[in-house]
C-alpha cells in the first residue's frame, strides 16, 4: 500500500481539527484509495513535533513533546512529508510564513494545501505557476470560503465552461451581522458584539466588516481561476460598519435586503472586480442566506446560471475542506 | 501530443450538440491538457459514420455519408475509440441499447460517458463495478440532472463527507408546470400544453409529470453515490397531474409553494427514498426556483448544508455536462 506522509504547518484550532479528521479517516483512505495516509509532523510558530511513523492525538496534545525551534525551514528540512497543509495566520502584505511554507514545499518535492489566505492573496498566480513548473499540486479550498465550493466549482462542476460573472456573499461574519441587524433593527456595534461573543467575528473585526476578507477571496479567485493579475488594494471596496438601524428600517420598508457582495465580471476579456454593499430584492438568492452562511453565483456561457449556498463557518467544516483538497490530490494521482 | 478518440452513440439533437462543442474546444484541450481530442465516429439507430482522422460537421450533417447497418456492435467493433459518449433514447425496463453500448465499451478498453438515464437506472451499480473491474472510467453527469451538479458534487466538492440527506427538484418540466400554474392560477393541462409547445415537456409527458424522471435520478444517485441497491419501481412516488387550479389558489393563500421533490435520507445506515409533492414555505430554497430550473440540497455531517440551484434544461447545457465528464476523465488521467 502506498504511503503518503502529511505535515501540518500552523497548529492552532483548525490545524488540530485537520489532524483529528485525518486520523479518523485513515481506514477510509486505505479502503477507497489504497493509501496509507500518516500525519508525520506538526509545527506552530515556535516549536514542532515529528514522528515519521505517524503521530497520534496523545502525542500532539502533549506540549512537553514539542521541540523548541523545530519550525519553518528547520521543520520542513527534517520532516519527510509528501504533502504539507498550511494553516497559520494570514499576512496580507508580505504573505508571511504561509508564503514561505508554500514556496518551500512546492520547490522541495511536496504538494501543498493552503488553508490560510495571505500567501495566495499576495502571490496566488506565482504560486500556481511554481506548482506547475515543479509538477506539484497546490490546492486551496480552505483559503477561498472553506466549505463553500468555489475553486473546485470551476475546476470540476463547470469544467470547460466560459465564465461570464462570479459574485457572492463570501464573508460569513458580515452576513451574520447584517442578518442580526435586520432581525432586531439594532445598531451595527450591537450586532458586531454579538458576533464577537459567539466567536463568529474576530476581536479585530475590521478585516471582515471593511470588506477586506471578501476582497481577499475575490483576489484569489480572479488570479487563480481566471488567470488575472490583480492586487487586493486595487479592488474598489465597501464595508458594512456605516450601516445604521435607520438604514435597516428604511430597507425593510422597501422590501430589500442588504448584502456585502464581492464580484468579478468578465466582458470582452476585461475583468472588473469589486466589493459592494448591495440591496437585493427579497426573491434574490442572496436574500435568503441565514446566519453566517455564504453563497456564490456563477453565470456561464454554456450552462447558464448556478447558485451554491451553504458552507457556514466552523472549524470542522474548514478541516473537511482542507481534507477535500487532500482527497482531490489522491483522485488526480498525488 | 496524446490523441484521444471519441465516438458518439445516439446522434440526435444532443449528440450533434456534443459533437459541435467537442470540435469547438479542440484547441482548448490541446492547450490545457496536451490532448488531441478527435471525434472519430457517430452512429444512430440504423446507420453510422467513421473517420479515424476526425469527423467535421460538413460530414456528419450529410446523411448520404452514413453507412447503413453501421450501428451497435458493428459500429463499436469498427470504430477505434478511447471514449464513447452514449446519448440514445432511454429504456427504463431493460436498459436498452444504452446498456449494450456501456457494457461493450467498458469491457473492450473504452471509457464511457452516459447522457441517457435508462442503463444507469436499470444496472447502475453493476456498471460501476464493471468499470472498476476493467480499470475504465464511467461518468454520467448528463444522466443525472445534466448541467446541475449532482454526482460530481459528491465526488469532488463534498469528497470525504458523510452524507445524511439528499433532496431536490430534479425535473425541470414539473417545475416549469407548477410555476406556470402558480403564476396564472390555471389548470394542469393548460400549463402542460404550454410546456409542450415550448419543447420543455415531451409529447408523452407521463415520465416527467408522474414522477418517474425524478425517481430515475434518485435511483441512480442512491445506487452509484451511496452504494445502495434500489429499484426504481420500489420508490414511493407522487406526480403533479392531480394538482388543480383550486389547490393552487388555496396554497397561495397559505403562502406555500408546491414542488415535486425527490429525496434520499440516510439514518443508521438505512436508506429511505421517495418522490413527493411537497408544500414548502416561501423562504425555502426550493421555493424560489424559476422556470425549469433544478435544485439539489445536501446535508453533510462535517460541512453542514449545501444548496445548488441552476442547470436549466437546454441542449447546449446538456452537451456541456457530457463534456465536463470528458474533461474530468482528462484530469484524472484518462
Amino acid at each position: 500500500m502506498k504511503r503518503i506522509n502529511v505535515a501540518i504547518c500552523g497548529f492552532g484550532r483548525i490545524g488540530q481539527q485537520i489532524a483529528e479528521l485525518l486520523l479518523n479517516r485513515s481506514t477510509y483512505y486505505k479502503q477507497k484509495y489504497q493509501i496509507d495516509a500518516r500525519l508525520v509532523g506538526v509545527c506552530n510558530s515556535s516549536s514542532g513535533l515529528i514522528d515519521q511513523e505517524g503521530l497520534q492525538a496523545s502525542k500532539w496534545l502533549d506540549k512537553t513533546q514539542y521541540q523548541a525551534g523545530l519550525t519553518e525551514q528547520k521543520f520542513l528540512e527534517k520532516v519527510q512529508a509528501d504533502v504539507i497543509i498550511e494553516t497559520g495566520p494570514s499576512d496580507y502584505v508580505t504573505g508571511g510564513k504561509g508564503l514561505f511554507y508554500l514556496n518551500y514545499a512546492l520547490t522541495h518535492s511536496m504538494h501543498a494545501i493552503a488553508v490560510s489566505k495571505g500567501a495566495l492573496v499576495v502571490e496566488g498566480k506565482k504560486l500556481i505557476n511554481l506548482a506547475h513548473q515543479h509538477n506539484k499540486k497546490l490546492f486551496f479550498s480552505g483559503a477561498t470560503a472553506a466549505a463553500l465550493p468555489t475553486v473546485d466549482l470551476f475546476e470540476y462542476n463547470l469544467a470547460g465552461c466560459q465564465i461570464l460573472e462570479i459574485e457572492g456573499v463570501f464573508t460569513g461574519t458580515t452576513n451574520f451581522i447584517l442578518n442580526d441587524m435586520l432581525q432586531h433593527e439594532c445598531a451595527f456595534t450591537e450586532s458586531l458584539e454579538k458576533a464577537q461573543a459567539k466567536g463568529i467575528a474576530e476581536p479585530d473585526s475590521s478585516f471582515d466588516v471593511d470588506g477586506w476578507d471578501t476582497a481577499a477571496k475575490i483576489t484569489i479567485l480572479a488570479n487563480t481561476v481566471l488567470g488575472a493579475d490583480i492586487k487586493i488594494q486595487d479592488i474598489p471596496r465597501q464595508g458594512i460598519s456605516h450601516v445604521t438601524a435607520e438604514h435597516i428600517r428604511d430597507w425593510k420598508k422597501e422590501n430589500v435586503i442588504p448584502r456585502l457582495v464581492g464580484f468579478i465580471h468578465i466582458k470582452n476579456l476585461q475583468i472588473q472586480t469589486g466589493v459592494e454593499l448591495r440591496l437585493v430584492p427579497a426573491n434574490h438568492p442572496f436574500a435568503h442566506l441565514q446566519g453566517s452562511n455564504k453563497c456564490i453565483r456563477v453565470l456561464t456561457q454554456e450552462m447558464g446560471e448556478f447558485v451554491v449556498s451553504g458552507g457556514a463557518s466552523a472549524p470542522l467544516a474548514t478541516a473537511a475542506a482542507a481534507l477535500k483538497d487532500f482527497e482531490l490530490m489522491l483522485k488526480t494521482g498525488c
Side-chain angles (χ1 to χ4, degrees), chain A:
Chain A
M1 190 172 290
K2 189 177 167 191
R3 169 97 165 255
I4 292 192
N5 292 335
V6 179
I8 301 178
C9 309
F11 204 57
R13 197 171 164 204
I14 300 290
Q16 290 183 33
Q17 183 73 72
I18 294 171
E20 215 173 285
L21 199 57
L22 185 75
L23 230 72
N24 286 347
R25 290 184 177 170
S26 161
T27 310
Y28 165 77
Y29 295 131
K30 282 181 187 152
Q31 286 173 350
K32 184 156 186 187
Y33 301 99
Q34 290 75 54
I35 290 289
D36 179 5
R38 302 227 188 153
L39 178 67
V40 294
V42 300
C43 76
N44 53 42
S45 59
S46 62
S47 63
L49 181 61
I50 291 175
D51 183 340
Q52 285 301 138
E53 283 313 297
L55 290 167
Q56 301 298 321
S58 57
K59 205 161 179 183
W60 78 59
L61 290 172
D62 179 359
K63 294 295 163 202
T64 65
Q65 299 277 335
Y66 286 64
Q67 187 184 325
L70 190 61
T71 181
E72 300 181 50
Q73 188 156 346
K74 265 195 192 164
F75 175 75
L76 286 188
E77 276 173 359
K78 200 167 168 199
V79 75
Q80 289 161 40
D82 304 297
V83 178
I84 68 143
I85 303 179
E86 194 279 306
T87 76
S90 276
D91 180 328
Y92 298 91
V93 179
T94 67
K97 286 185 192 172
L99 183 55
F100 165 78
Y101 283 122
L102 298 179
N103 265 325
Y104 190 97
L106 295 171
T107 51
H108 290 78
S109 297
M110 294 176 246
H111 303 290
I113 294 168
V115 177
S116 60
K117 287 185 280 289
L120 283 149
V121 167
V122 176
E123 298 280 16
K125 204 169 179 175
K126 275 196 194 161
L127 286 166
I128 296 258
N129 290 338
L130 197 67
H132 194 71
Q133 282 161 23
H134 290 267
N135 202 21
K136 289 290 141 193
K137 291 182 197 300
L138 168 65
F139 283 26
F140 42 90
S141 294
T144 42
L148 181 74
T150 55
V151 183
D152 42 322
L153 200 62
F154 303 100
E155 188 70 15
Y156 300 101
N157 315 85
L158 306 176
C161 288
Q162 192 187 337
I163 307 299
L164 306 175
E165 290 178 16
I166 301 171
E167 49 185 42
V169 173
F170 294 112
T171 305
T173 309
T174 53
N175 204 48
F176 176 91
I177 294 171
L178 289 172
N179 278 335
D180 190 73
M181 290 179 78
L182 280 166
Q183 192 183 342
H184 303 289
E185 296 189 7
C186 59
F188 167 77
T189 46
E190 203 177 309
S191 295
L192 170 62
E193 278 163 20
K194 273 189 219 166
Q196 285 169 327
K198 281 177 183 285
I200 293 171
E202 300 289 323
D204 175 6
S205 64
S206 64
F207 188 70
D208 284 341
V209 302
D210 293 340
W212 286 108
D213 178 72
T214 300
K217 289 161 184 167
I218 287 292
T219 306
I220 300 176
L221 285 176
N223 292 347
T224 60
V225 171
L226 300 171
D229 198 8
I230 61 170
K231 305 249 171 279
I232 189 170
Q233 299 84 347
D234 298 337
I235 299 182
R237 183 179 42 78
Q238 292 182 320
I240 63 162
S241 58
H242 65 285
V243 176
T244 63
E246 205 180 341
H247 286 130
I248 293 284
R249 278 190 292 269
D250 288 347
W251 294 335
K252 280 175 93 164
K253 271 183 219 152
E254 295 164 30
N255 205 20
V256 290
I257 312 281
R259 292 289 178 235
L260 190 69
V261 174
F263 68 86
I264 307 174
H265 291 178
I266 305 113
K267 215 172 176 178
N268 303 327
L269 298 175
Q270 293 291 309
I271 287 181
Q272 193 199 346
T273 59
V275 178
E276 60 192 19
L277 185 70
R278 267 196 214 163
L279 301 174
V280 302
N283 65 352
H284 190 281
F286 295 169
H288 320 292
L289 282 180
Q290 296 180 336
S292 65
N293 266 346
K294 289 169 285 192
C295 185
I296 184 168
R297 173 187 164 273
V298 184
L299 182 66
T300 71
Q301 180 69 40
E302 297 85 350
M303 291 192 187
E305 183 187 82
F306 291 89
V307 179
V308 189
S309 61
S313 315
L316 178 59
T318 304
L323 291 188
K324 163 179 76 175
D325 282 353
F326 178 65
E327 211 163 323
L328 296 180
M329 285 187 178
L330 302 182
K331 276 183 208 292
T332 52
C334 169

